[in-house]
Amino acid sequence: MHLSSPTFPFGNGIHWFSAATHTELPPAPLQDWLLSRGSLTQRLKNCCNRFDVQLLGEQWITKNPQEWQGDEQQLWLREVLLCLDGTPWVFARTLITPALLQQQQQLEQLGERPLGELLYSDNQFIAGEIDVCHIQQGSPMCELAASLQQPTSAPLWGRRRHFSYQQLPLIVAEVFLPAAVDAISQR
């Protein structure tokens, strides 16, 4: 599977809502996955024989006020695909402040290692509330899914979680691709 880099970043323009107040969520079992408080990485690993991270890109970006409310103007962006037995299940987008990168330099050097392992193995990372998104047809996320031979016949769902490390913020967003939605619905 090869994606051309001129399309990076993929996750721009997603509108997020508080999961606690959003009234229209998908039915179970996908809702359970969206609202799960534990490590998505670990949960995905439990569903496959081989778990891989495919790095789509990483770079410094100028903040989008709709996505980041902090004072920082520049953020480190990392986008990956989480693949189970060779099939992309989840698109993940991480935003990290320069101050956090100075404290945790390993965040900038993850490469194809899963971020979730670090976040849930270090008790100094504090997980916050979950936001959700509902992505309609024609969005860049749906185009990404189609490029992965996973055309969308229904809207995509995602979740976003705010983390902090010694008061320094980090945001991780995860969108469930059609292959994941199909597999989850059969569990």
Side-chain angles (χ1 to χ4, degrees), residues 120-152:
Y120 287 92
S121 66
D122 183 338
N123 62 7
Q124 292 192 64
F125 280 101
I126 308 299
E129 295 304 309
I130 295 174
D131 297 326
V132 295
C133 69
H134 190 220
I135 302 170
Q136 299 295 332
Q137 299 283 15
S139 73
M141 256 314 93
C142 292
E143 292 172 17
L144 172 62
S147 75
L148 298 169
Q149 286 72 53
Q150 296 184 35
T152 55

Side-chain angles (χ1 to χ4, degrees), residues 32-98:
D32 301 332
W33 282 71
L34 281 174
L35 302 180
S36 174
R37 298 273 176 197
S39 169
L40 179 62
T41 298
Q42 188 55 53
R43 194 165 187 187
L44 291 169
K45 285 181 171 185
N46 292 339
C47 294
C48 65
N49 293 317
R50 192 181 89 239
F51 177 85
D52 297 300
V53 176
Q54 180 186 353
L55 180 65
L56 298 174
E58 46 190 359
Q59 67 184 23
W60 288 100
I61 62 165
T62 302
K63 85 167 182 180
N64 174 346
Q66 293 177 333
E67 184 176 35
W68 188 272
Q69 282 71 50
D71 294 334
E72 300 83 359
Q73 295 302 309
Q74 295 290 306
L75 300 165
W76 182 250
L77 167 69
R78 178 177 189 253
E79 291 184 342
V80 301
L81 293 173
L82 305 179
C83 303
L84 281 65
D85 298 322
T87 301
W89 270 42
V90 173
F91 164 82
R93 177 180 172 94
T94 305
L95 296 171
I96 306 169
T97 65

